[in-house]
Each structure stands twice: as structure tokens, then as C-alpha cells.
Amino acid sequence: VQLQASGGGLVQPGGSLRLSCGASGSGLSGYAIGWFRQAPGKERDWVGCIYSGIGRTDYADSVKGRFTVSRDDRKNTVYLQMNNLKSDDTAVYYCAADACSHFDWQYSIWGQGTLVTVSS
């Protein structure tokens, strides 16, 4: 499977944005998918993830209550809904498979990222 994150852009603080992680080459239904982000000059951080099947989710404390990961396996897409965005959320966002874990080394497939800029 190949992954591609999309949907990034410029948004004002307090605004919302929805990112998509699309798949090609294979269906996403059997994969757990994680979201990571990397701000300029900083290390890559885990944001959240969703398991396959029942779709249980997990989130980093920094985004809990503001971000939601969901999936639509019929559309081969996983989403990251981001609400109440802050300037600290500015980063390149990546989706990855096949784990639901804080640790990036547990993911074997990475998509190209999409840039989210939160600024007034």
C-alpha cells in the first residue's frame, strides 16, 4: 500500500482543518494508521492513530479533545479532523501504517506529508 496525506493549508488560530490519508495499491481496511507531525527544527511527534476493524483511537495529550482520527474504509481514507488549531500545531503532517503506536519505528509505510500552517 502507498499512502498520501493531503488537505493541509493555512488556517487562522481557532480554526479547523481536515486532513486525509489516501491509499493506493491496496485497501486500507486491514491497516492501523497513525498520524505524526514535524514542526520546523523539531523532531517528528506522534499525533494519534486508529486501529483497523472497530477503529479504536488513541491521541497525544497535546491534541486530545481537539483532534479526531476516523476512517472510511469504503473510500480507502483515514481522516484527521483538527479543531481549535493553535500556532503550535504548525507542522508537516504525515500518515503512516501499520501500527497504532507512539513510536515511529513501529510503522513500516509512510506517506508524503502535507503542510499545516496556523497563523493570523
Side-chain angles (χ1 to χ4, degrees):
V1 65
Q2 294 177 324
L3 304 178
Q4 175 68 57
S6 62
L10 174 64
V11 61
Q12 292 186 342
S16 297
L17 206 59
R18 188 178 77 164
L19 305 184
S20 299
C21 177
S24 61
S26 176
L28 270 184
S29 61
Y31 291 88
I33 300 294
W35 286 95
F36 287 79
R37 65 187 181 185
Q38 187 166 20
K42 296 186 177 181
E43 294 185 352
R44 184 166 57 191
D45 290 332
W46 174 73
V47 174
C49 59
I50 187 165
Y51 287 89
S52 61
I54 60 173
R56 186 169 69 87
T57 55
D58 196 10
Y59 300 96
D61 287 344
S62 60
V63 306
K64 200 171 291 184
R66 299 189 299 123
F67 290 13
T68 302
V69 182
S70 62
R71 65 190 303 151
D72 187 342
D73 289 338
R74 295 168 302 174
K75 295 183 178 180
N76 258 355
T77 304
V78 171
Y79 302 100
L80 178 65
Q81 176 68 44
M82 305 184 294
N83 298 327
N84 191 21
L85 282 160
K86 308 174 182 180
S87 57
D88 288 349
D89 295 319
T90 294
V92 176
Y93 284 72
Y94 300 88
C95 58
D98 176 21
C100 190
S101 166
H102 299 207
F103 303 107
D104 59 3
W105 56 266
Q106 292 189 331
Y107 294 78
S108 57
I109 304 167
W110 289 83
Q112 293 194 356
T114 185
L115 176 63
V116 173
T117 303
V118 184
S119 175
S120 55

Tab-separated table of all heavy atoms in Angstrom, residues 27-74:
chain	number	residue	atom	x	y	z
A	27	GLY	N	-6.102	-1.868	-0.298
A	27	GLY	CA	-7.080	-1.252	0.582
A	27	GLY	C	-6.500	-0.970	1.948
A	27	GLY	O	-5.527	-1.583	2.372
A	28	LEU	N	-7.111	-0.009	2.647
A	28	LEU	CA	-6.650	0.377	3.979
A	28	LEU	C	-7.322	-0.404	5.090
A	28	LEU	O	-6.905	-0.313	6.238
A	28	LEU	CB	-6.920	1.860	4.215
A	28	LEU	CG	-5.854	2.873	3.829
A	28	LEU	CD1	-6.288	4.267	4.225
A	28	LEU	CD2	-4.519	2.531	4.459
A	29	SER	N	-8.320	-1.174	4.775
A	29	SER	CA	-9.186	-1.727	5.810
A	29	SER	C	-8.444	-2.568	6.837
A	29	SER	O	-8.829	-2.622	7.997
A	29	SER	CB	-10.319	-2.529	5.178
A	29	SER	OG	-9.787	-3.611	4.434
A	30	GLY	N	-7.389	-3.236	6.439
A	30	GLY	CA	-6.675	-4.095	7.376
A	30	GLY	C	-5.530	-3.424	8.106
A	30	GLY	O	-4.821	-4.070	8.877
A	31	TYR	N	-5.359	-2.130	7.886
A	31	TYR	CA	-4.209	-1.428	8.437
A	31	TYR	C	-4.601	-0.496	9.574
A	31	TYR	O	-5.568	0.263	9.468
A	31	TYR	CB	-3.536	-0.585	7.353
A	31	TYR	CG	-2.841	-1.374	6.277
A	31	TYR	CD1	-3.536	-1.806	5.147
A	31	TYR	CD2	-1.488	-1.669	6.376
A	31	TYR	CE1	-2.893	-2.524	4.156
A	31	TYR	CE2	-0.836	-2.378	5.386
A	31	TYR	CZ	-1.546	-2.803	4.269
A	31	TYR	OH	-0.895	-3.505	3.294
A	32	ALA	N	-3.805	-0.510	10.624
A	32	ALA	CA	-3.850	0.571	11.597
A	32	ALA	C	-3.064	1.745	11.019
A	32	ALA	O	-2.033	1.545	10.370
A	32	ALA	CB	-3.236	0.139	12.918
A	33	ILE	N	-3.560	2.939	11.247
A	33	ILE	CA	-2.942	4.134	10.665
A	33	ILE	C	-2.627	5.149	11.752
A	33	ILE	O	-3.463	5.417	12.624
A	33	ILE	CB	-3.876	4.787	9.626
A	33	ILE	CG1	-4.191	3.810	8.497
A	33	ILE	CG2	-3.250	6.073	9.081
A	33	ILE	CD1	-3.004	3.422	7.632
A	34	GLY	N	-1.448	5.693	11.672
A	34	GLY	CA	-1.048	6.730	12.614
A	34	GLY	C	-0.808	8.047	11.918
A	34	GLY	O	-0.530	8.092	10.724
A	35	TRP	N	-0.932	9.112	12.690
A	35	TRP	CA	-0.605	10.458	12.224
A	35	TRP	C	0.552	10.999	13.059
A	35	TRP	O	0.549	10.871	14.288
A	35	TRP	CB	-1.795	11.396	12.357
A	35	TRP	CG	-2.877	11.188	11.343
A	35	TRP	CD1	-3.995	10.430	11.489
A	35	TRP	CD2	-2.936	11.752	10.027
A	35	TRP	NE1	-4.756	10.481	10.343
A	35	TRP	CE2	-4.119	11.291	9.424
A	35	TRP	CE3	-2.115	12.604	9.287
A	35	TRP	CZ2	-4.510	11.654	8.130
A	35	TRP	CZ3	-2.486	12.961	8.012
A	35	TRP	CH2	-3.671	12.488	7.442
A	36	PHE	N	1.492	11.601	12.368
A	36	PHE	CA	2.631	12.240	13.005
A	36	PHE	C	2.747	13.659	12.449
A	36	PHE	O	2.156	13.983	11.421
A	36	PHE	CB	3.927	11.482	12.702
A	36	PHE	CG	4.047	10.174	13.425
A	36	PHE	CD1	3.364	9.044	12.973
A	36	PHE	CD2	4.849	10.056	14.550
A	36	PHE	CE1	3.476	7.835	13.644
A	36	PHE	CE2	4.970	8.853	15.217
A	36	PHE	CZ	4.281	7.745	14.758
A	37	ARG	N	3.534	14.463	13.125
A	37	ARG	CA	3.800	15.800	12.607
A	37	ARG	C	5.229	16.203	12.971
A	37	ARG	O	5.788	15.739	13.954
A	37	ARG	CB	2.815	16.824	13.153
A	37	ARG	CG	2.898	17.058	14.656
A	37	ARG	CD	1.759	17.976	15.104
A	37	ARG	NE	1.809	18.254	16.534
A	37	ARG	CZ	0.883	18.950	17.184
A	37	ARG	NH1	-0.176	19.427	16.535
A	37	ARG	NH2	0.991	19.161	18.488
A	38	GLN	N	5.759	17.068	12.122
A	38	GLN	CA	7.105	17.575	12.361
A	38	GLN	C	7.117	19.073	12.118
A	38	GLN	O	6.904	19.526	10.979
A	38	GLN	CB	8.129	16.879	11.462
A	38	GLN	CG	9.562	17.240	11.796
A	38	GLN	CD	10.563	16.304	11.154
A	38	GLN	OE1	10.276	15.607	10.188
A	38	GLN	NE2	11.764	16.260	11.706
A	39	ALA	N	7.345	19.804	13.185
A	39	ALA	CA	7.439	21.258	13.086
A	39	ALA	C	8.852	21.646	12.658
A	39	ALA	O	9.797	20.868	12.858
A	39	ALA	CB	7.094	21.886	14.422
A	40	PRO	N	9.018	22.815	12.086
A	40	PRO	CA	10.348	23.252	11.646
A	40	PRO	C	11.360	23.210	12.780
A	40	PRO	O	11.115	23.751	13.861
A	40	PRO	CB	10.101	24.688	11.173
A	40	PRO	CG	8.671	24.730	10.792
A	40	PRO	CD	7.972	23.811	11.759
A	41	GLY	N	12.473	22.528	12.535
A	41	GLY	CA	13.541	22.474	13.519
A	41	GLY	C	13.285	21.549	14.688
A	41	GLY	O	14.058	21.534	15.649
A	42	LYS	N	12.205	20.771	14.622
A	42	LYS	CA	11.871	19.886	15.735
A	42	LYS	C	11.790	18.442	15.272
A	42	LYS	O	11.739	18.153	14.081
A	42	LYS	CB	10.547	20.320	16.375
A	42	LYS	CG	10.605	21.696	17.019
A	42	LYS	CD	9.321	21.995	17.754
A	42	LYS	CE	9.390	23.344	18.457
A	42	LYS	NZ	8.139	23.659	19.206
A	43	GLU	N	11.776	17.555	16.246
A	43	GLU	CA	11.644	16.140	15.924
A	43	GLU	C	10.198	15.809	15.545
A	43	GLU	O	9.275	16.541	15.871
A	43	GLU	CB	12.070	15.293	17.126
A	43	GLU	CG	13.541	15.403	17.467
A	43	GLU	CD	13.942	14.451	18.574
A	43	GLU	OE1	13.047	13.822	19.176
A	43	GLU	OE2	15.154	14.326	18.829
A	44	ARG	N	10.061	14.688	14.868
A	44	ARG	CA	8.738	14.221	14.493
A	44	ARG	C	8.000	13.712	15.737
A	44	ARG	O	8.549	12.943	16.523
A	44	ARG	CB	8.866	13.126	13.442
A	44	ARG	CG	7.547	12.625	12.893
A	44	ARG	CD	7.777	11.817	11.631
A	44	ARG	NE	8.670	10.698	11.854
A	44	ARG	CZ	9.194	9.975	10.880
A	44	ARG	NH1	8.948	10.280	9.627
A	44	ARG	NH2	9.991	8.958	11.169
A	45	ASP	N	6.765	14.140	15.900
A	45	ASP	CA	5.953	13.765	17.054
A	45	ASP	C	4.724	12.986	16.617
A	45	ASP	O	4.124	13.281	15.580
A	45	ASP	CB	5.481	15.010	17.814
A	45	ASP	CG	6.602	15.714	18.537
A	45	ASP	OD1	7.583	15.044	18.920
A	45	ASP	OD2	6.499	16.944	18.720
A	46	TRP	N	4.354	12.049	17.451
A	46	TRP	CA	3.128	11.296	17.221
A	46	TRP	C	1.926	12.155	17.583
A	46	TRP	O	1.931	12.863	18.584
A	46	TRP	CB	3.160	10.023	18.063
A	46	TRP	CG	1.915	9.217	18.029
A	46	TRP	CD1	1.457	8.451	16.992
A	46	TRP	CD2	0.974	9.055	19.079
A	46	TRP	NE1	0.286	7.829	17.355
A	46	TRP	CE2	-0.031	8.177	18.631
A	46	TRP	CE3	0.874	9.565	20.376
A	46	TRP	CZ2	-1.114	7.803	19.416
A	46	TRP	CZ3	-0.200	9.189	21.165
A	46	TRP	CH2	-1.185	8.321	20.677
A	47	VAL	N	0.871	12.083	16.766
A	47	VAL	CA	-0.345	12.861	16.982
A	47	VAL	C	-1.485	11.968	17.456
A	47	VAL	O	-2.175	12.261	18.433
A	47	VAL	CB	-0.763	13.584	15.689
A	47	VAL	CG1	-2.111	14.272	15.859
A	47	VAL	CG2	0.309	14.585	15.275
A	48	GLY	N	-1.691	10.876	16.750
A	48	GLY	CA	-2.782	9.980	17.088
A	48	GLY	C	-2.822	8.833	16.116
A	48	GLY	O	-2.041	8.779	15.159
A	49	CYS	N	-3.734	7.899	16.356
A	49	CYS	CA	-3.817	6.742	15.479
A	49	CYS	C	-5.175	6.083	15.599
A	49	CYS	O	-5.942	6.367	16.528
A	49	CYS	CB	-2.706	5.748	15.780
A	49	CYS	SG	-2.718	5.123	17.481
A	50	ILE	N	-5.419	5.197	14.658
A	50	ILE	CA	-6.670	4.446	14.647
A	50	ILE	C	-6.371	3.003	14.273
A	50	ILE	O	-5.611	2.728	13.347
A	50	ILE	CB	-7.688	5.090	13.671
A	50	ILE	CG1	-9.049	4.421	13.794
A	50	ILE	CG2	-7.183	5.080	12.225
A	50	ILE	CD1	-10.178	5.220	13.134
A	51	TYR	N	-6.989	2.101	15.022
A	51	TYR	CA	-6.829	0.687	14.734
A	51	TYR	C	-7.718	0.306	13.552
A	51	TYR	O	-8.671	1.004	13.228
A	51	TYR	CB	-7.210	-0.149	15.948
A	51	TYR	CG	-6.207	-0.093	17.071
A	51	TYR	CD1	-6.275	0.883	18.057
A	51	TYR	CD2	-5.180	-1.035	17.147
A	51	TYR	CE1	-5.348	0.937	19.087
A	51	TYR	CE2	-4.255	-0.997	18.175
A	51	TYR	CZ	-4.346	-0.013	19.137
A	51	TYR	OH	-3.424	0.029	20.145
A	52	SER	N	-7.404	-0.824	12.949
A	52	SER	CA	-8.286	-1.387	11.944
A	52	SER	C	-9.484	-2.018	12.649
A	52	SER	O	-9.537	-2.101	13.881
A	52	SER	CB	-7.550	-2.430	11.107
A	52	SER	OG	-7.095	-3.492	11.924
A	53	GLY	N	-10.440	-2.448	11.848
A	53	GLY	CA	-11.605	-3.106	12.426
A	53	GLY	C	-12.519	-2.131	13.150
A	53	GLY	O	-13.086	-1.232	12.554
A	54	ILE	N	-12.623	-2.256	14.475
A	54	ILE	CA	-13.568	-1.425	15.229
A	54	ILE	C	-13.140	0.030	15.287
A	54	ILE	O	-13.922	0.893	15.673
A	54	ILE	CB	-13.772	-1.963	16.655
A	54	ILE	CG1	-12.438	-1.986	17.423
A	54	ILE	CG2	-14.389	-3.352	16.617
A	54	ILE	CD1	-12.610	-2.349	18.889
A	55	GLY	N	-11.891	0.310	14.915
A	55	GLY	CA	-11.474	1.696	14.790
A	55	GLY	C	-11.224	2.411	16.089
A	55	GLY	O	-11.451	3.620	16.190
A	56	ARG	N	-10.738	1.700	17.082
A	56	ARG	CA	-10.386	2.372	18.332
A	56	ARG	C	-9.266	3.371	18.076
A	56	ARG	O	-8.378	3.120	17.255
A	56	ARG	CB	-9.945	1.346	19.365
A	56	ARG	CG	-9.689	1.928	20.746
A	56	ARG	CD	-9.524	0.827	21.772
A	56	ARG	NE	-8.309	0.062	21.614
A	56	ARG	CZ	-7.143	0.379	22.141
A	56	ARG	NH1	-7.022	1.489	22.844
A	56	ARG	NH2	-6.097	-0.399	21.967
A	57	THR	N	-9.304	4.494	18.768
A	57	THR	CA	-8.339	5.565	18.533
A	57	THR	C	-7.530	5.873	19.790
A	57	THR	O	-7.923	5.540	20.909
A	57	THR	CB	-9.038	6.850	18.073
A	57	THR	OG1	-10.045	7.204	19.030
A	57	THR	CG2	-9.677	6.675	16.708
A	58	ASP	N	-6.419	6.548	19.575
A	58	ASP	CA	-5.560	6.967	20.664
A	58	ASP	C	-4.935	8.299	20.248
A	58	ASP	O	-4.684	8.513	19.050
A	58	ASP	CB	-4.486	5.919	20.935
A	58	ASP	CG	-3.801	6.112	22.280
A	58	ASP	OD1	-4.260	6.939	23.094
A	58	ASP	OD2	-2.780	5.439	22.521
A	59	TYR	N	-4.656	9.184	21.231
A	59	TYR	CA	-4.192	10.521	20.906
A	59	TYR	C	-3.082	10.974	21.842
A	59	TYR	O	-3.047	10.603	23.017
A	59	TYR	CB	-5.351	11.531	21.006
A	59	TYR	CG	-6.491	11.239	20.081
A	59	TYR	CD1	-7.600	10.527	20.517
A	59	TYR	CD2	-6.457	11.656	18.751
A	59	TYR	CE1	-8.654	10.235	19.657
A	59	TYR	CE2	-7.500	11.376	17.889
A	59	TYR	CZ	-8.598	10.653	18.351
A	59	TYR	OH	-9.628	10.373	17.495
A	60	ALA	N	-2.245	11.829	21.302
A	60	ALA	CA	-1.275	12.509	22.150
A	60	ALA	C	-2.001	13.506	23.038
A	60	ALA	O	-3.028	14.064	22.639
A	60	ALA	CB	-0.249	13.230	21.282
A	61	ASP	N	-1.463	13.726	24.224
A	61	ASP	CA	-2.110	14.642	25.169
A	61	ASP	C	-2.253	16.045	24.585
A	61	ASP	O	-3.210	16.760	24.885
A	61	ASP	CB	-1.302	14.704	26.458
A	61	ASP	CG	-1.439	13.444	27.297
A	61	ASP	OD1	-2.378	12.663	27.051
A	61	ASP	OD2	-0.603	13.242	28.189
A	62	SER	N	-1.317	16.428	23.750
A	62	SER	CA	-1.315	17.785	23.211
A	62	SER	C	-2.485	18.069	22.269
A	62	SER	O	-2.817	19.231	22.015
A	62	SER	CB	0.005	18.054	22.485
A	62	SER	OG	0.180	17.138	21.426
A	63	VAL	N	-3.096	17.016	21.743
A	63	VAL	CA	-4.195	17.212	20.786
A	63	VAL	C	-5.502	16.606	21.265
A	63	VAL	O	-6.538	16.777	20.606
A	63	VAL	CB	-3.837	16.634	19.404
A	63	VAL	CG1	-2.521	17.209	18.903
A	63	VAL	CG2	-3.792	15.105	19.432
A	64	LYS	N	-5.467	15.912	22.387
A	64	LYS	CA	-6.661	15.234	22.881
A	64	LYS	C	-7.780	16.257	23.121
A	64	LYS	O	-7.568	17.295	23.732
A	64	LYS	CB	-6.318	14.493	24.165
A	64	LYS	CG	-7.273	13.378	24.530
A	64	LYS	CD	-6.720	12.559	25.684
A	64	LYS	CE	-5.510	11.768	25.275
A	64	LYS	NZ	-5.008	10.883	26.366
A	65	GLY	N	-8.951	15.934	22.605
A	65	GLY	CA	-10.088	16.836	22.736
A	65	GLY	C	-10.207	17.835	21.599
A	65	GLY	O	-11.240	18.490	21.442
A	66	ARG	N	-9.149	17.963	20.805
A	66	ARG	CA	-9.185	18.895	19.666
A	66	ARG	C	-9.111	18.160	18.327
A	66	ARG	O	-9.707	18.606	17.348
A	66	ARG	CB	-8.015	19.877	19.742
A	66	ARG	CG	-8.010	20.746	20.976
A	66	ARG	CD	-6.954	21.839	20.880
A	66	ARG	NE	-5.603	21.307	20.766
A	66	ARG	CZ	-4.766	21.586	19.774
A	66	ARG	NH1	-5.135	22.390	18.804
A	66	ARG	NH2	-3.546	21.060	19.773
A	67	PHE	N	-8.384	17.063	18.287
A	67	PHE	CA	-8.189	16.310	17.045
A	67	PHE	C	-8.955	14.992	17.125
A	67	PHE	O	-9.053	14.376	18.191
A	67	PHE	CB	-6.717	16.002	16.824
A	67	PHE	CG	-5.855	17.187	16.473
A	67	PHE	CD1	-6.301	18.494	16.604
A	67	PHE	CD2	-4.561	16.989	15.995
A	67	PHE	CE1	-5.500	19.574	16.284
A	67	PHE	CE2	-3.749	18.057	15.664
A	67	PHE	CZ	-4.220	19.346	15.823
A	68	THR	N	-9.439	14.551	15.972
A	68	THR	CA	-10.142	13.277	15.888
A	68	THR	C	-9.675	12.517	14.655
A	68	THR	O	-9.678	13.072	13.545
A	68	THR	CB	-11.665	13.485	15.788
A	68	THR	OG1	-12.114	14.222	16.930
A	68	THR	CG2	-12.390	12.148	15.740
A	69	VAL	N	-9.289	11.273	14.870
A	69	VAL	CA	-8.927	10.389	13.767
A	69	VAL	C	-10.117	9.488	13.467
A	69	VAL	O	-10.730	8.926	14.386
A	69	VAL	CB	-7.700	9.530	14.103
A	69	VAL	CG1	-7.324	8.655	12.909
A	69	VAL	CG2	-6.517	10.399	14.501
A	70	SER	N	-10.445	9.366	12.197
A	70	SER	CA	-11.534	8.484	11.785
A	70	SER	C	-11.138	7.814	10.474
A	70	SER	O	-10.138	8.173	9.855
A	70	SER	CB	-12.834	9.264	11.615
A	70	SER	OG	-12.703	10.238	10.592
A	71	ARG	N	-11.925	6.847	10.078
A	71	ARG	CA	-11.619	6.145	8.834
A	71	ARG	C	-12.895	5.801	8.092
A	71	ARG	O	-13.945	5.568	8.705
A	71	ARG	CB	-10.796	4.896	9.127
A	71	ARG	CG	-11.482	3.813	9.937
A	71	ARG	CD	-10.472	2.737	10.376
A	71	ARG	NE	-9.792	2.164	9.233
A	71	ARG	CZ	-8.559	1.666	9.282
A	71	ARG	NH1	-7.877	1.674	10.411
A	71	ARG	NH2	-8.005	1.146	8.205
A	72	ASP	N	-12.763	5.788	6.764
A	72	ASP	CA	-13.821	5.315	5.891
A	72	ASP	C	-13.173	4.308	4.951
A	72	ASP	O	-12.574	4.676	3.930
A	72	ASP	CB	-14.444	6.475	5.118
A	72	ASP	CG	-15.660	6.048	4.312
A	72	ASP	OD1	-15.818	4.826	4.078
A	72	ASP	OD2	-16.441	6.918	3.914
A	73	ASP	N	-13.268	3.058	5.310
A	73	ASP	CA	-12.593	2.021	4.528
A	73	ASP	C	-13.203	1.870	3.139
A	73	ASP	O	-12.526	1.386	2.222
A	73	ASP	CB	-12.627	0.698	5.284
A	73	ASP	CG	-11.715	0.704	6.504
A	73	ASP	OD1	-10.765	1.520	6.548
A	73	ASP	OD2	-11.951	-0.103	7.426
A	74	ARG	N	-14.450	2.262	2.968
A	74	ARG	CA	-15.045	2.195	1.624
A	74	ARG	C	-14.356	3.176	0.691
A	74	ARG	O	-14.279	2.955	-0.513
A	74	ARG	CB	-16.537	2.499	1.703
A	74	ARG	CG	-17.354	1.487	2.483
A	74	ARG	CD	-18.741	2.008	2.752
A	74	ARG	NE	-18.703	3.264	3.497
A	74	ARG	CZ	-19.754	4.010	3.773
A	74	ARG	NH1	-20.949	3.637	3.329
A	74	ARG	NH2	-19.636	5.126	4.464
